[in-house]
């Protein structure tokens, strides 16, 4: 789950990171009122769940009330990479003397949380990683001991070799970021940039946090952070039905069990010249209701001209899937053809159930995909 | 012979009285897997299918029945706890089927396992099936066949698809292993490949990869240097849009890394053929194996 | 630092332990008002920093307002082992079906926090430990992983082998107690008893926490919990001056550097038939001001007829001690004789400084102790 | 020869630029201890007493000057962090002089040291002095003398008192070791006693205990079974009132355990004479040693 900058900053503040004050507004008038409350200059920052907000003109430095009015008005409602700006963050602007990147993510190779930091802050870190990887310092964190003082200090001194006070502030920020990361069950947490003012005070002036979807169950307080507007309605419905779903722009609606097989099915649709309408993994559970929900979500898309089931039963039993398909066709008025390929656990039982229906059977994945494209 | 399991494997199933745990325990038993005990706290003293004793803790299962391997079917919030328990009780192989385990839990559990020399497979994986020896997990037994091919995959059902095709072509398997697609997993691609390379009965093997991470690239580099056995590969997710999570927490293409195209290049550069379609895997393997 | 039951319960509540509601009162009227607020029956519990409060009549079960009035009046002002009751905790009484002991402390041998639990709750656990140690179950906790689910559950099931719901509640309470222990830097944390109601709900109905004095510096929020009234005024002054001090009842005021030497000095005073007035370790620092403070604290006791310095300089330098003694004698009007024994680092410099004064020198510890007793 | 140190001991002092750290570093240098570096973050590049280079981190001190031992004089809030740093940098012996280190910090640091095979002495201790070899800590050098007696103590200054008397009686020492009186310490009584037992140059040794805990009782039991060298003991705190903390976090008599009387009984039952007064230690030792 991705959350907005202002929400990430709320989490950071809770763990003691130095974040300049700030509040969000959804109207120009509120933006102006907040700016007047903080005093000038302020930053007006669009809150959308995508990168490149600055380049798109969604972040503005404002020295006067008129500035805020003009920019808030321009930014609110702006479209940034398909996201409509509904909220802006108003935050006091601070003088910047130097900028750093500090981030943490899950590193698959070390199986640890990896601290990354660079004196090349304020720019796209992916670009730095590609062009000058030697400018990014890394420290994997042992989960048994956390980010130790000397590890954080070592990173701080690499970033600021000549200023112990700044190094200490960076080290402290890294340790707090680690606390924030593990206690919020993040999958990514970034401060970019962490800046120093000319007076030498450190501030986290931008913040990005992605939360681990698998851990949301133990953070009921974070659930309200979810930006329902930022989600495609079908993706939201899928999430609420506990289905893994990504909307695409084709006409072949795919219902597959297992992420790998679902991707391979999409790949195969494209290989044979078709266009998949979606990625959908109905998951490892064998709950027939899920199939009904999945069908509803896919059929809500009018582009979908054919449904392709590709089920290989392991933990999901084919008879349950068959029951689900039958239940769904009884409830719903499905107008498009449905190609069904069922193999694996209880496949005979599943096929027997389906044989009494007018669904299009297929034995292999290739056959199923070809038939679906043909019928779509 | 197979990798990671043999005739001495004695299984305890954690969560044996749950719906999925019970169903798959029956399947494992039916395949001849030595399930010596089940565990569900509070259900100690019961019997599963009138024969497998259920205990309150893995420790009891190990002490009473000599279990040395655990297969875990407990809900996500208890999965890491179940892994700790199995490792602490002395199990040296743990297969965690559970989907949706928080990644930070897995990060923390890893050093606990390393300290105790425990191998974990998963979480969020179909487990392992060594035809003729044992099934630890949820791979469908009907599709496997004894033989000389190893198979390792980050995917679940895509694994079944490939195993199905291998068996249909008469290519039986030493071990079919689904390692799971989560960001932090126990046994990695590399671990499996090394084990296949060392296993005298595995003559060739298949690697089923997917987008995200660089496990395939690492494996390719290792194989190029160290492996003389024929290997073919397949990568799922060529059409996946970047930045979107494709079901698996791991399957996400970010910032130009972990794409199917990059993986394909790395694999081919290491001399490993990459099948275009799942149905091309068997022909690919047959072709290079004959050389 | 020892804290009161109600303070320990506040900490426990913060970590999610099930503690029945409760508030403190310092007057009978307030006690009655609180009882009326909670509804009857309630417990009236004296808040003093000593054990055996129940036996001393400081804890009463009250079914009516009249009960509360009578008991609060009796308990407030009561003397329990030298502690005057100034505060009572009013808390709803719960029906008790079964009682358990759950505690944690630092175990020197395993160098870990040790969880101890017993089904013999509600009684003096020291007695259980002595008479039937097999009834106390123990689990050392690996600090790298914390109290794991299965470890807590194992303990829970030992206490409640036949009731999984109760076992789970106990396990959960143990894990929360561990969180409370480490995050508050406790040296001891006990729930005695943890009870179940006839309906099967668990409650921590008594709570004891000792905080690690060495860690108080990072818990500024706990400093106000210190019960200044419960401390001897001289002990408080010593603590505020960062001196380790215990008041005794003799006439030989002892100033020693190092706890072991201080104890050995006390032992030797007694060995030669004298009575030490105190234990005082002026610590490893060599701050002359400390000596002044130490003298003030000891001389505040009119029983003290002689001062005995026994200083063996390691990290404490003898010349600093000598300077401190001289400074103190210049500031203060000391009427009692002062015996000084200085050995170790910079001892010549120290003795040289003292030679110009009328202090009584001694070379050995034995000689110093004997001279002090003689002059006292 | 001594215990825990030898000619290869190369010391880095953490906190060398502080008041106490500086004072005692001078003393250690004056005794001939090989202090190869100091560490104070932000002071890297300076020199201590115009000769010992100061670094920003222990890692640099190890890399640049081959330090293998650290002596720590940093304030309590940074002491555990300093121990982690020294261990991580590769020091195999760490002496932590700092008083007032939170106990939970020490609990957490212990497995870190065990994993790395690092010996810690302290915290809150005077350290170690091996006459003629090295001084690591704050024991006054003027009172020691080379010879065949080992000394281990939970106390600081009481140790000096006894060393002073030993030397005055002509009984020189192999090693004088103050392990500290905190509840959680690195090197324990038992560790020291085993080391003295194994040290060929140590012919007899002295144990200075105090109230609290059961380290003396454990040591007594071990000595009875395993040690043939003459041992005498002293226990401080016979007159300490129960329930009061006597300076050391450890020196507290609670509920009938850890009293001086109990310790004396255990020691004497193991055949170890317990001196009544500090001044009786030397005569006690002389008496049994002659047997």
């Amino acid at each position: 789950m991705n959350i907005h900058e202002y929400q990430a900053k709320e989490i950071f503040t809770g763990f003691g990171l130095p974040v300049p004050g700030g509040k969000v507004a959804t109207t120009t008038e509120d933006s102006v009122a907040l700016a007047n409350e903080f005093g000038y200059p302020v930053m007006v920052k669009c809150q959308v769940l995508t990168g490149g907000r600055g380049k798109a003109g969604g972040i503005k430095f404002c020295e006067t009330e008129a500035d805020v009015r003009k920019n808030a008005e321009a930014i609110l409602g702006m479209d940034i990479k398909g996201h409509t700006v509904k909220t802006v963050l108003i935050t006091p602007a601070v003088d910047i003397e130097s900028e750093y990147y500090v981030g943490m993510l899950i590193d698959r190779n070390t199986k640890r949380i990896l601290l990354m930091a660079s004196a090349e802050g304020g720019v796209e870190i992916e670009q730095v990683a590609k062009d000058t990887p030697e400018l990014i310092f890394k420290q994997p964190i042992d989960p048994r001991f956390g980010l130790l003082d000397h590890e954080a200090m070592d990173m701080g001194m690499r970033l600021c070799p000549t200023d112990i006070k700044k190094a200490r502030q960076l080290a402290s920020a890294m340790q707090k970021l680690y606390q924030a990361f593990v206690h919020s069950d993040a999958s990514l947490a970034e401060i970019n940039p962490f800046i120093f003012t000319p007076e030498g005070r450190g501030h986290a002036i931008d913040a990005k946090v992605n939360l681990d979807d698998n851990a949301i169950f133990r953070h009921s307080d974070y659930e309200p952070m979810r930006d329902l507007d930022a989600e495609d309605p079908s993706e939201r419905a899928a999430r609420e039905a506990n289905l893994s779903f990504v909307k695409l722009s084709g006409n072949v609606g795919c219902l597959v069990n297992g992420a790998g097989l679902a991707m391979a099915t999409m790949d195969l649709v494209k290989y044979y010249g078709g266009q998949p309408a979606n990625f959908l993994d109905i998951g490892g559970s064998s709950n027939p209701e899920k199939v009904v929900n999945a069908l509803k979500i896919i059929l809500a898309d009018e582009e979908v001209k054919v449904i392709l089931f590709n089920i290989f039963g392991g933990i999901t039993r084919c008879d349950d899937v068959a029951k689900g398909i039958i239940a769904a066709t009884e409830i719903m008025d499905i107008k498009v053809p449905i190609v069904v390929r069922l193999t694996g656990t209880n496949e005979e039982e599943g096929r027997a159930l389906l044989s009494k229906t007018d669904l299009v059977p297929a034995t292999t994945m290739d056959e199923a995909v070809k038939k679906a494209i043909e019928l779509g | 012979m197979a990798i990671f399991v043999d005739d001495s494997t004695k299984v305890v199933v954690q969560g044996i009285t749950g719906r999925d745990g019970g169903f798959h325990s029956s399947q494992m038993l039916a395949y001849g897997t030595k399930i010596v005990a089940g565990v569900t706290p509070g259900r100690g003293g019961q019997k599963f299918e009138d024969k497998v004793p259920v205990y309150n803790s893995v420790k009891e299962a190990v002490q009473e029945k000599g279990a040395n391997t655990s297969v875990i079917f407990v809900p996500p919030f208890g999965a890491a706890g179940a892994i700790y328990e199995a490792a602490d009780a002395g199990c040296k192989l743990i297969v965690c089927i559970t989907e949706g385990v928080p990644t930070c839990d897995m990060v923390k559990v890893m050093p606990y396992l390393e300290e105790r020399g425990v191998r974990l497979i998963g979480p969020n994986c179909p487990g392992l099936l060594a035809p003729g020896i044992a099934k630890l997990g949820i791979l469908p037994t009907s599709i496997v066949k004894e033989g000389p091919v190893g198979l390792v995959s980050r995917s679940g059902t895509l694994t079944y698809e490939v195993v199905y095709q291998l068996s249909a072509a008469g290519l039986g398997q030493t071990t079919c292993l689904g390692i799971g697609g989560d960001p932090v997993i126990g046994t990695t691609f590399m671990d499996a490949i090394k084990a296949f390379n060392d296993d005298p009965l595995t003559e060739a093997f298949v690697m089923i990869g997917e987008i995200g991470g660089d496990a395939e690239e690492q494996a390719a580099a290792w194989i190029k240097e160290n492996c003389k056995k024929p290997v073919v590969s397949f990568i799922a997710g060529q059409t996946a849009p970047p930045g979107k999570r494709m079901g698996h927490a791991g399957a996400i293409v970010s910032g130009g890394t972990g794409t199917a195209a990059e993986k394909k290049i790395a694999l081919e550069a290491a001399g490993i053929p990459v099948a275009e379609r799942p149905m091309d895997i068997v022909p690919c393997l047959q072709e290079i194996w004959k050389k």
Side-chain angles (χ1 to χ4, degrees), chain A, chain B:
Chain A
M1 173 172 140
N2 297 356
I3 60 174
H4 288 295
E5 175 195 359
Y6 79 92
Q7 295 165 324
K9 284 182 168 175
E10 280 170 13
I11 293 177
F12 284 0
T13 302
F15 287 91
L17 278 158
V19 175
K23 286 183 186 166
V24 288
T26 56
T27 67
T28 303
E29 281 317 309
D30 286 354
S31 303
V32 168
L34 286 175
N36 286 335
E37 181 187 327
F38 291 126
Y40 294 87
V42 298
M43 302 300 294
V44 177
K45 308 179 80 175
C46 69
Q47 299 295 291
V48 285
L49 295 176
T50 184
R53 295 178 296 154
K55 273 189 199 148
I59 300 180
K60 293 290 178 187
F61 174 76
C62 301
E63 293 194 86
T64 64
E65 182 173 324
D67 271 3
V68 172
R69 189 174 300 279
K70 186 186 73 183
N71 284 307
E73 191 143 315
I75 293 171
L76 283 163
M78 187 183 267
D79 181 279
I80 298 180
K81 296 186 189 170
H83 298 257
T84 306
V85 180
K86 301 200 169 172
T87 307
V88 288
L89 172 66
I90 311 296
T91 177
V94 288
D95 286 342
I96 296 175
E97 181 251 12
S98 52
E99 299 182 283
Y100 298 87
Y101 169 89
V102 179
M104 288 182 192
L105 48 73
I106 303 287
D107 179 48
R108 292 156 177 271
N109 293 328
T110 58
K111 303 180 186 181
R112 290 184 172 183
I113 295 169
L114 183 69
L115 164 64
M116 297 189 300
S118 176
E120 302 297 305
V123 296
E124 289 223 3
I125 198 68
E126 289 82 0
Q127 205 56 47
V128 180
K130 200 175 276 179
D131 300 342
T132 49
E134 70 282 5
L135 297 182
I136 300 181
F137 306 115
K138 294 180 180 176
Q139 171 72 52
I141 301 169
D142 186 332
R144 300 169 302 170
F145 299 100
L147 180 59
L148 295 169
D149 291 354
H150 71 280
E151 293 169 340
M153 197 60 195
D154 181 55
M155 288 292 263
M157 297 213 44
R158 280 164 180 243
L159 299 188
C160 277
T162 58
D163 188 330
I164 186 77
K165 284 183 185 169
K166 286 182 184 165
R168 278 191 211 283
Q169 287 184 70
L170 280 161
S172 167
M174 289 170 196
Q175 290 185 303
K176 287 167 179 166
L177 186 66
Y178 178 70
Q179 292 302 318
F181 192 104
V182 293
H183 287 108
S184 66
D185 272 304
S187 54
L188 174 79
E190 287 184 335
I191 305 172
N192 189 19
F194 186 94
I195 66 100
F196 287 102
T197 63
E199 298 79 38
R201 283 199 57 188
H203 294 281
I205 66 166
D206 201 357
K208 183 178 179 185
V209 169
N210 294 349
L211 299 170
D212 178 4
D213 290 292
N214 284 351
I216 292 289
F217 69 83
R218 59 184 169 207
H219 296 285
S220 52
D221 47 328
Y222 290 166
E223 190 54 46
M225 286 189 177
R226 193 183 291 280
D227 185 349
L228 301 175
D229 292 332
E231 275 182 308
D232 180 277
S234 59
E235 291 185 3
R236 189 201 315 177
R239 182 177 49 71
E240 284 168 0
N242 222 358
L243 295 164
S244 187
F245 176 85
V246 177
K247 197 170 164 5
L248 302 169
S249 50
N251 63 335
V252 180
C254 303
L255 285 96
V256 190
N257 69 322
L261 191 60
M263 286 191 280
T265 305
M266 285 158 50
D267 293 349
L268 202 59
V269 168
K270 212 149 194 172
Y271 181 85
Y272 284 118
Q275 291 295 337
N278 64 283
F279 165 92
L280 189 146
D281 173 11
I282 64 168
S285 149
S286 44
N287 177 352
E289 201 192 326
K290 274 205 172 175
V291 182
V292 180
N293 287 327
L295 276 173
K296 281 186 190 163
I297 288 159
I298 290 182
L299 290 168
D301 179 357
E302 298 199 344
E303 296 292 305
V304 173
K305 301 301 180 205
V306 60
I307 293 286
L308 166 60
F309 277 93
N310 186 12
I311 304 295
F312 212 114
I315 204 164
T316 307
R317 295 185 271 186
C318 295
D319 52 340
D320 279 342
V321 178
K323 280 179 204 157
I325 298 175
I326 292 164
T329 48
E330 280 168 5
I331 297 163
M332 303 163 75
D333 180 22
I334 302 179
K335 301 228 170 70
V336 301
I338 301 177
V339 179
V340 182
R341 187 250 183 161
L342 283 179
T343 312
T345 308
N346 293 15
E347 63 177 78
E348 285 77 16
E349 293 87 333
R351 284 196 203 134
L353 287 165
L354 291 175
S355 65
K356 300 152 204 161
T357 69
D358 51 2
L359 302 160
V360 182
T363 311
T364 68
M365 190 167 156
D366 260 57
E367 183 195 345
V369 168
K370 283 182 189 163
K371 276 191 179 168
I373 293 172
E374 209 170 285
L375 294 167
Chain B
M1 210 169 122
I3 62 169
F4 308 148
V5 286
D6 58 32
D7 288 341
S8 72
T9 301
K10 288 185 186 173
V11 177
V12 52
V13 175
Q14 291 176 262
I16 198 167
T17 59
R19 185 180 190 271
D20 290 334
F23 175 79
H24 289 290
S25 291
S26 297
Q27 301 266 312
M28 285 189 269
L29 283 167
Y31 194 67
T33 307
K34 286 184 215 144
I35 301 185
V36 297
V39 168
T40 300
R43 300 281 184 100
Q46 298 184 0
K47 293 231 168 187
F48 175 76
E49 289 195 347
D50 295 329
K51 55 183 178 242
V52 179
V54 177
Y55 295 95
N56 288 319
S57 70
V58 180
K59 192 165 72 180
E60 289 170 272
V62 168
Q63 283 168 356
E64 300 294 322
K65 308 297 289 185
N68 55 21
T69 299
S70 171
V71 181
I72 295 176
F73 289 94
V74 307
F77 63 83
I83 297 172
Y84 284 113
E85 180 178 0
D88 197 24
C91 292
K92 292 297 173 199
L93 174 64
I94 301 174
V95 180
C96 183
I97 307 302
T98 310
E99 183 182 346
V101 183
T103 305
C104 282
D105 287 4
M106 292 312 304
V107 167
K108 205 167 167 203
V109 95
M110 285 301 163
Y112 195 86
L113 302 179
E114 280 158 26
E115 286 173 15
R116 286 160 181 76
V118 175
R119 172 175 300 285
L120 172 69
I121 298 174
N124 191 13
C125 76
L128 171 154
L129 206 171
I133 299 175
K135 160 170 153 152
L136 306 178
I138 64 174
L139 281 107
T141 51
S142 58
I143 58 171
V144 300
K145 184 180 155 76
E146 277 186 70
V149 180
L151 186 138
V152 55
S153 171
R154 283 168 68 186
S155 162
T157 46
L158 181 56
T159 315
Y160 315 160
E161 184 70 47
V162 177
V163 172
Y164 184 79
Q165 294 180 13
L166 285 169
S167 295
L171 296 170
Q173 304 92 40
T174 54
T175 318
C176 304
L177 174 66
I179 59 174
D182 276 3
V184 174
I185 54 176
T187 297
T188 62
F189 240 98
M190 192 77 100
D191 297 330
I193 284 162
K194 288 179 182 170
F196 279 131
N197 196 40
D198 290 344
D199 177 36
L201 290 197
T202 301
E203 295 173 25
F205 57 93
V206 178
M207 278 168 52
I208 311 293
E210 63 184 33
I211 52 168
D214 63 353
E216 292 82 357
E217 288 88 332
Q218 287 183 38
W222 188 87
I223 288 169
K224 190 179 180 185
E225 293 300 316
N226 302 285
C227 179
K228 299 280 164 270
K229 297 182 182 179
V231 187
V232 297
S233 181
F234 175 80
I235 304 293
Q238 297 172 52
T239 56
K244 288 282 188 180
R245 175 175 152 172
M246 292 292 163
H248 288 173
I252 181 168
V253 181
S254 57
T257 59
T259 64
E262 286 171 327
K263 290 180 189 298
K264 204 177 164 192
I265 290 167
L267 287 160
E268 289 178 341
I272 303 165
V274 182
E276 279 293 315
R277 300 172 297 174
M279 68 176 294
D280 296 332
I281 293 171
V282 167
C284 270
L285 186 61
Q286 285 168 327
E287 194 188 323
I288 61 162
W289 203 351
K290 286 180 185 148
K291 281 181 193 168

